[in-house]
Amino acid sequence: MTPNNRRKAAGAAAGILAGALVLSACSGTPDPGGTEIAEGEPYTLTVWTNYTTGPGKAWFDDVAAQYEAAHENITVEAQHIQNEEVDGKLQTALNSGDAPDVFMQRGGGKMKDMAAAGQLADLTGTAVDAPELREQLGDAAYEALTVDGELVAGPQLIQPGGIWYSQDLFAEAGITETPETMDDLYDAVDKLKAAGITPIALGGKDAWPAAHWFYFFALRECSQETLTATNESLDFSDECYLQAGQDLADLAAVEPFNEGFLSTSAQQGASSSAGLLANHQAAMELMGAWQPGVVTSLTPDEEPLPDLGWFPFPQLPDGGGDPGAFMGGGGGYSCSVSAPKDLCADFIALMNSPENQETFYAAFGTIPLNKEAKDAVTEPYNIQMMEALNNATYVSDWLDTNYGQNVGTALNQAVVELLAGNTDAEGLVQAITDAAAKG
């Protein structure tokens, strides 16, 4: 079945699902904690996403059409925001009391801060919390989005990270095995440079792609106990964080990144770091599971990159981290506390139906969270990633997400300063320690 046909089939099936939802908001009964919508009263449901590419917008439009067909007098109005701008705009909207009804939720400390500020609706017992959907998406996904016993977001996806690479460029450089250790990665960098190939693409302008390198070094250097404790304490005194910073400084010293990486964006245009990989101008990029969809949008014919491959972040034999530890973003969608909660929850539930999760995979090229959609996955790299995730002993969210907006932003900026040569590993750790002390 082609993606377009699959999308049409999903629209019909998901429309039936939507029609079966019980809508307390539309029945005229009070909607606790949110806006009351009387029966038959028109309402515009506002939704913020980061689906800025063509296939992503098309997927969302399909879901919105299904929803509107099943919800009389309700119109869906979407704003699709560039990923790097989402957090700032959303926080401003939340703080001003002018938040959208439904919005992308990254989870972690950022989500906890919103919950503590009373900005998120409790979705416990709504359509997105239905037993059948919980069984399909998995209890772990729900637990990650629960704060003090309240479900403050509906899970939608899991996007583990790792290194994406061009199999053709690896072959051209004589690399026959994907790196399993950092020594292997250094060897691959040497071979690629000798072949005149830029080893690693990096979008330092957006900060977070550069910071991913520190996150993964910390995952390899720090124990699960230390990482988990730091999420709450924001105490970075453990030696492993200093060592992670030094690991990154050592990598930067061999100059593996594209020329001008500090002014290179991550995902916007052919000259972005993802664009360099998409157009065979660099061999590797450390990124999350959304990468195939981004790369596809940046190839000359906007078709999937035929030689795209993936491997887990290399091991550090002397590191204190769990070799089976994995890192990747989860998250989903929240409802603002002032929104019509049941309408919001119905929309999130519809996004997560097996049919719409399957078309989500087709549109974005990323592995679906709903287990009933996983059979649709065919790419070897996605299958490899799902197997690695299934075998993981521990899964951490991105560190900036875990640490909240203020400390997370300080961390990302400190990594860029280190890569620019303006600070060292000690300065990086001091910067995030100072940010944590400010609260």
Side-chain angles (χ1 to χ4, degrees), residues 118-132:
Q119 296 168 331
L120 305 180
D122 179 10
L123 301 178
T124 306
T126 64
V128 77
D129 193 31
E132 182 180 6

Side-chain angles (χ1 to χ4, degrees), residues 35 43-47 99-103 334-336 338-340 344:
T35 301
Y43 186 80
T44 298
L45 189 75
T46 55
V47 186
D101 296 316
V102 187
F103 53 88
S334 286
C335 298
S336 69
S338 60
C344 290

Side-chain angles (χ1 to χ4, degrees), residues 59 136-137 155-160 289 351-362 364-379 382-383 385-386 389-390:
W59 176 84
Q136 292 171 359
L137 302 181
Q156 192 208 19
L157 75 172
I158 178 67
Q159 295 187 313
M351 295 171 80
N352 288 324
S353 72
E355 297 84 3
N356 281 330
Q357 279 264 304
E358 185 175 334
T359 53
F360 183 86
Y361 152 71
F364 292 91
T366 187
I367 57 177
L369 179 62
N370 193 310
K371 69 179 185 181
E372 293 191 9
K374 293 186 184 297
D375 288 343
V377 178
T378 59
E379 299 87 358
N382 275 331
I383 293 173
M385 187 182 302
M386 288 194 300
L389 189 61
N390 288 338

Side-chain angles (χ1 to χ4, degrees), residues 8-347:
K8 291 175 183 177
I16 294 172
L17 172 68
L21 295 173
V22 178
L23 306 178
S24 63
C26 286
S27 66
T29 58
D31 186 14
T35 301
E36 289 186 37
I37 306 299
E39 184 176 1
E41 180 182 350
Y43 186 80
T44 298
L45 189 75
T46 55
V47 186
W48 283 13
T49 85
N50 65 345
Y51 305 150
T52 56
T53 62
K57 286 182 178 179
W59 176 84
F60 182 90
D61 288 344
D62 273 349
V63 175
Q66 296 163 29
Y67 185 84
E68 290 175 346
H71 295 70
E72 188 177 359
N73 297 320
I74 305 300
T75 301
V76 177
E77 182 179 280
Q79 185 172 351
H80 303 292
I81 305 169
Q82 181 61 35
N83 182 67
E84 287 72 29
E85 300 175 2
V86 171
D87 288 357
K89 287 189 173 183
L90 178 60
Q91 198 59 61
T92 298
L94 287 167
N95 292 343
S96 66
D98 192 30
D101 296 316
V102 187
F103 53 88
M104 191 182 82
Q105 177 58 257
R106 300 191 194 275
K110 294 179 180 180
M111 179 184 71
K112 291 179 181 178
D113 290 343
M114 295 176 191
Q119 296 168 331
L120 305 180
D122 179 10
L123 301 178
T124 306
T126 64
V128 77
D129 193 31
E132 182 180 6
L133 192 58
R134 285 189 73 103
E135 197 277 331
Q136 292 171 359
L137 302 181
D139 286 338
Y142 281 88
E143 291 169 5
L145 299 175
T146 299
V147 178
D148 295 332
E150 295 186 353
L151 180 66
V152 294
Q156 192 208 19
L157 75 172
I158 178 67
Q159 295 187 313
I163 297 182
W164 298 88
Y165 74 103
S166 163
Q167 298 178 61
D168 289 350
L169 293 183
F170 266 41
E172 185 178 333
I175 303 169
T176 58
E177 302 285 343
T178 54
E180 294 185 0
T181 68
M182 278 306 299
D183 286 342
D184 295 339
L185 185 67
Y186 277 114
D187 183 60
V189 167
D190 290 341
K191 288 179 178 178
L192 288 162
K193 293 177 76 170
I197 300 168
T198 298
I200 301 172
L202 182 61
K205 179 181 179 181
D206 293 321
W208 60 266
H212 276 189
W213 283 93
F214 176 83
Y215 305 166
F216 276 90
F217 278 128
L219 185 74
R220 294 290 180 248
E221 293 287 4
C222 303
S223 68
Q224 176 180 345
E225 291 74 20
T226 296
L227 291 168
T228 302
T230 302
N231 292 341
E232 299 298 328
S233 68
L234 297 180
D235 178 357
F236 301 96
S237 60
D238 193 291
E239 191 73 14
C240 67
Y241 292 110
L242 181 63
Q243 186 56 53
Q246 188 58 53
D247 291 335
L248 179 55
D250 292 343
L251 177 64
V254 304
E255 300 182 347
F257 305 125
N258 49 290
E259 184 176 352
F261 69 88
L262 289 173
S263 59
T264 299
S265 65
Q267 301 174 337
Q268 301 178 57
S271 62
S272 66
S273 55
L276 295 178
L277 182 62
N279 293 281
H280 286 160
Q281 300 300 305
M284 292 179 276
E285 185 178 21
L286 175 62
M287 197 54 65
W290 57 81
Q291 183 78 332
V294 176
V295 166
T296 295
S297 72
L298 297 173
T299 58
D301 56 4
E302 295 189 3
E303 293 292 331
L305 189 67
D307 66 315
L308 185 65
W310 176 90
F311 59 91
F313 193 85
Q315 297 291 333
L316 287 167
D318 296 329
D322 186 337
F326 226 68
M327 180 171 288
Y333 279 81
S334 286
C335 298
S336 69
V337 71
S338 60
K341 182 168 64 175
D342 291 310
L343 286 176
C344 290
D346 290 342
F347 189 83

